Amino acid sequence: MNRKYGLISLIAGLVLVLGIGSVFVFSQGSSEVKGNGNIEELSPQAIKKFMKEDGTGFIVFSFDKESRDNYLYNAKKAMEENNVDGKEMNIDHPGFDLSKDQRYYGLTQQTDTLAVYKDGEMKKQISFDEYEPSQLEGELNHFIQMSKETYFAN
């Protein structure tokens, strides 16, 4: 009787280990782009590290001081609606070396844009300047939604 329970326990343990291992293996193949609309401003060195180590997600590259708050507000609202988080690199950050361009930090997007990256490669970007303020949030929402479906669908 004890052998029977021991065998059942062994089998249950193996099933548990295989289940956890499968979840781990399958989760490694898809980068996480979920969230609740937060946009984290990273230092240039932190962006460089992020792009080297992960490089997957939505990134705002800010340049225009006067419009930055409006751009971030609209991007945050669109990210909230699509349940994703983002990162921001602000050219006015004290750590940004103006003698280097954004490629030094791992970004290939233009300034005042929202871009989607996967494994360090920019897939697509949208310029904040191309849209009227009344249209911007809707366009950003559409951009994020289409990017999620195109690049992160499981």
Side-chain angles (χ1 to χ4, degrees):
M1 195 70 149
N2 281 340
R3 284 186 80 131
K4 185 177 181 180
Y5 288 119
L7 185 60
I8 290 172
S9 295
L10 178 65
I11 292 171
L14 285 172
V15 168
L16 181 64
V17 167
L18 288 173
I20 291 172
S22 297
V23 168
F24 178 74
V25 168
F26 290 118
S27 69
Q28 294 302 307
S30 62
S31 293
E32 193 70 32
V33 293
K34 295 180 175 135
N36 56 7
N38 292 325
I39 299 176
E40 178 183 11
E41 181 182 0
L42 295 180
S43 70
Q45 292 305 317
I47 268 284
K48 187 175 182 178
K49 181 179 178 189
F50 169 76
M51 293 306 291
K52 263 187 182 173
E53 293 176 358
D54 183 13
T56 298
F58 294 93
I59 298 181
V60 173
F61 185 27
S62 300
F63 176 77
D64 185 350
K65 284 183 192 181
E66 290 80 37
S67 300
R68 179 175 175 245
D69 289 341
N70 184 47
Y71 294 157
L72 287 175
Y73 175 79
N74 283 295
K76 182 173 176 42
K77 292 215 22 144
M79 287 182 187
E80 284 173 356
E81 288 181 34
N82 288 282
N83 300 314
V84 298
D85 286 338
K87 312 242 182 273
E88 180 203 16
M89 170 122 136
N90 184 357
I91 202 166
D92 286 326
H93 189 282
F96 191 88
D97 184 349
L98 293 173
S99 69
K100 297 178 176 21
D101 69 6
Q102 69 270 27
R103 293 181 202 289
Y104 174 79
Y105 299 104
L107 301 181
T108 55
Q109 72 195 84
Q110 298 168 344
T111 56
D112 291 329
T113 59
L114 171 65
V116 59
Y117 287 83
K118 187 167 184 181
D119 300 323
E121 179 185 343
M122 185 183 74
K123 297 296 184 180
K124 197 172 183 183
Q125 69 180 338
I126 183 171
S127 175
F128 298 128
D129 298 334
E130 288 182 23
Y131 301 97
E132 294 295 322
S134 60
Q135 297 174 311
L136 184 58
E137 183 186 335
E139 293 296 330
L140 293 172
N141 184 33
H142 180 72
F143 173 82
I144 293 169
Q145 189 175 41
M146 295 310 297
S147 296
K148 280 178 61 176
E149 291 174 12
T150 304
Y151 305 113
F152 306 113
N154 289 333

